[in-house]
Amino acid sequence: DVEHVTPDWVPENMRWLTYNCLREQGRELYQRGDNYIDTHPIDPETLKVLLVTSGTTSTPKVVMLNQRNICINLIAMCSMCYIDEYDTFLSILPLNHTYECTCGFLCQMYRGSSIAQTESLRAMPKNMVESKVTIMLCVPLVLEAIYRRIWKAIDSSPALKRKVNFALKISKFLLKIGIDIRRKLFKKIIDQFGGNLRLLISGGAAADPVVVQGFKDFGINCIQGYGLTECAPILALNRSKHNRPYSAGLPMPGVDVKIKDPDENGIGEVLGKGDNVMMGYYNDPELTAEAIRDGYYHTGDLGYLDDEGFLVITGRLKNVIITANGKNVFPEEIETLLCREPLIQEAMVYGAEKDKDVILVASLYLDQEEVEKTLNERGLQNTHENIVALADEAVRRVNAKLVPYKHIRNFSLREKEFVKTTTRKIQRHFNISEAETENLEEV
């Protein structure tokens, strides 16, 4: 309550206050007998935060959260993932997003951790070294970009690549007998991030399990969580010690997660119920009633619970592509495989009608450095035809891993990155309408 503590001691025309300054002044007031902090009433059910959803797949909505929603989420999250006063977080996401607000700001106040603010995504590697970051919250695109950067440096030297691959084999063998020397073996890689990075937490969308496991192989623990603004935000989270790279984690303590109308593979809409579920949408009781039924929030995401109770997200209900023969295709699955190709930096898969059928089309943004490198290695000129041929090879390699009804039939190449939200998620509805005007290449 800044108004309560500032009038007597804030210098005139002071534009901002540091958190430490505010805390010290509050401590002095308390020692002088000001017990406002002890007597101020807290109503856990009163509206405290209004947050606007990202609008990745639809029109943004205004979510109402109260004290209970947020505090329950903080307590549950920190019971699954160890965070203390010795940790330093590097903040790279916007505070107006509930993922960063709860997990990257309020959590640090709750646990006494420090927060370093990145100057920009471009300056992130430098800022990681400067801040000696121990934990960082990421979204999949950022996580995958960091991982690509590591392997680009390794791949640039055949001798280094052989050395790293040998070290990975030795490390994995020793782990089987309970010996962990990963942080010694891969110290040079860890030092690129300040030398203290111990945990990466990915949220906002499903991360590639190969990338998640890849960081763990280098000695940097990497876990995924799953949540939505409407759930303050976390519904499920992998524990620091007990985790699965392919999953979004276990349901949070006090949260009931169930699958609605599961199909033969156990896949259905993910529902969540608990004290973290929002009060509702601001000034929209009809939309609230549609979203929360029988106490369960209907996420609009598809997934299943595995034999150990881990939640696996397979895609977004609105994104599912249904072929003419009734097969369901999750574009996110194919996009993950496409982005494992070194040539492809970003990918978006969507359905298009053709001859009374629905075919799969991919819009691709290529890694320009990788394109130049591959063309030079093959002695080819940098022409549109040669670049299309390289992209075609990559798409064919991905198709070879998929059943026929999931094959990409056409693709287009973008000249610039996809339009994204502030948390680096591709805005599908906007980019699909844009992609439909691009020139298609047949696979």
Side-chain angles (χ1 to χ4, degrees):
D1 191 335
V2 176
E3 290 184 2
H4 177 73
V5 298
T6 55
D8 296 335
W9 54 267
V10 175
E12 286 189 31
N13 301 320
M14 190 170 187
R15 295 178 58 198
W16 59 78
L17 296 169
T18 66
Y19 180 68
N20 278 343
C21 174
L22 192 63
R23 187 176 59 180
E24 288 303 316
Q25 292 294 338
R27 184 178 287 116
E28 287 181 19
L29 285 171
Y30 191 76
Q31 289 171 350
R32 293 203 303 263
D34 189 323
N35 66 344
Y36 175 79
I37 193 170
D38 296 327
T39 59
H40 182 68
I42 296 175
D43 182 356
E45 308 301 331
T46 300
L47 171 63
K48 290 294 180 182
V49 181
L50 286 174
L51 287 166
V52 181
T53 62
S54 61
T56 309
T57 58
S58 61
T59 305
K61 299 176 282 290
V62 181
V63 173
M64 299 186 293
L65 298 177
N66 58 34
Q67 189 102 0
R68 185 187 302 279
N69 296 149
I70 296 168
C71 291
I72 284 288
N73 218 232
L74 285 172
I75 294 167
M77 174 179 70
C78 293
S79 73
M80 299 182 77
C81 182
Y82 186 74
I83 297 164
D84 64 23
E85 67 271 24
Y86 301 107
D87 280 311
T88 297
F89 284 71
L90 181 65
S91 177
I92 65 171
L93 301 172
L95 267 177
N96 64 295
H97 192 276
T98 185
Y99 174 35
E100 180 68 9
C101 180
T102 300
C103 307
F105 180 65
L106 298 176
C107 169
Q108 287 66 37
M109 289 193 175
Y110 170 52
R111 299 298 293 168
S113 308
S114 299
I115 305 171
Q117 189 71 44
T118 189
E119 298 167 69
S120 66
L121 285 177
R122 192 178 295 275
M124 185 177 69
K126 174 174 72 78
N127 295 155
M128 293 178 80
V129 174
E130 292 169 340
S131 64
K132 296 193 178 297
V133 58
T134 61
I135 304 178
M136 192 164 78
L137 304 180
C138 295
V139 290
L141 275 179
V142 173
L143 197 70
E144 289 158 15
I146 296 172
Y147 191 67
R148 277 176 179 259
R149 178 171 166 251
I150 293 172
W151 274 104
K152 270 189 179 181
I154 295 170
D155 289 338
S156 65
S157 167
L160 177 61
K161 187 175 181 179
R162 286 194 298 271
K163 187 177 178 181
V164 169
N165 284 330
F166 180 71
L168 285 169
K169 289 180 182 177
I170 292 292
S171 173
K172 289 175 182 177
F173 171 76
L174 291 174
L175 277 173
K176 290 180 180 178
I177 57 174
I179 301 173
D180 186 356
I181 58 170
R182 289 174 296 176
R183 292 188 73 89
K184 290 182 180 178
L185 276 178
F186 304 108
K187 184 178 183 299
K188 288 186 178 179
I189 291 175
I190 296 169
D191 284 347
Q192 292 179 31
F193 308 112
N196 296 302
L197 184 63
R198 69 174 181 86
L199 180 63
L200 291 166
I201 304 173
S202 180
D208 185 347
V210 169
V211 173
V212 173
Q213 184 60 51
F215 276 108
K216 294 175 75 172
D217 291 341
F218 287 135
I220 301 171
N221 199 9
C222 184
I223 61 174
Q224 292 194 69
Y226 165 71
L228 308 95
T229 305
E230 290 86 345
C231 297
I234 307 175
L235 274 178
L237 180 66
N238 274 286
R239 294 180 183 271
S240 300
K241 301 272 184 181
H242 187 45
N243 52 65
R244 299 290 179 268
Y246 60 83
S247 84
L250 296 165
M252 297 274 277
V255 173
D256 180 23
V257 172
K258 69 178 183 179
I259 306 301
K260 178 186 176 185
D261 300 330
D263 63 13
E264 66 276 9
N265 298 311
I267 297 172
E269 185 181 5
V270 179
L271 309 184
K273 181 180 183 180
D275 285 336
N276 60 319
V277 173
M278 66 174 180
M279 300 170 68
Y281 294 115
Y282 183 68
N283 280 345
D284 202 331
E286 290 183 8
L287 194 60
T288 300
E290 182 183 336
I292 303 175
R293 284 168 264 164
D294 298 323
Y296 283 89
Y297 173 68
H298 289 57
T299 67
D301 288 317
L302 294 168
Y304 64 92
L305 294 166
D306 73 4
D307 294 340
E308 296 181 283
F310 283 87
L311 176 64
V312 181
I313 303 297
T314 57
R316 186 79 181 151
L317 189 59
K318 290 182 179 179
N319 298 343
V320 174
I321 302 165
I322 304 175
T323 63
N325 59 1
K327 296 286 187 180
N328 288 346
V329 178
F330 303 109
E332 295 88 348
E333 172 197 1
I334 304 170
E335 289 161 1
T336 295
L337 293 176
L338 286 168
C339 289
R340 286 181 189 170
E341 290 289 326
L343 197 74
I344 300 172
Q345 187 166 319
E346 296 176 4
M348 183 184 67
V349 175
Y350 61 97
E353 291 187 11
K354 183 178 181 181
D355 300 329
K356 297 182 179 181
D357 195 1
V358 176
I359 64 168
L360 300 185
V361 180
S363 180
L364 308 174
Y365 176 67
L366 303 184
D367 184 323
Q368 301 307 315
E369 287 184 20
E370 196 66 32
V371 168
E372 289 283 353
K373 175 188 168 187
T374 307
L375 290 173
N376 290 336
E377 288 174 350
R378 298 189 185 186
L380 299 173
Q381 291 184 329
N382 191 338
T383 65
H384 179 71
E385 290 74 17
N386 286 336
I387 294 173
V388 168
L390 292 181
D392 184 78
E393 288 178 19
V395 173
R396 287 176 183 273
R397 283 194 293 271
V398 170
N399 279 347
K401 301 172 186 176
L402 297 165
V403 293
Y405 72 85
K406 294 183 180 180
H407 283 185
I408 299 295
R409 304 298 179 184
N410 298 115
F411 68 88
S412 62
L413 301 181
R414 296 176 59 88
E415 295 182 358
K416 56 185 180 180
E417 293 184 20
F418 289 99
V419 177
K420 303 180 187 72
T421 66
T422 54
T423 50
R424 307 291 294 168
K425 287 193 287 187
I426 292 173
Q427 287 187 311
R428 300 188 73 91
H429 60 289
F430 179 87
N431 286 288
I432 287 175
S433 62
E434 186 178 73
E436 288 172 343
T437 65
E438 297 170 352
N439 295 322
L440 295 177
E441 309 288 344
E442 190 169 347
V443 180

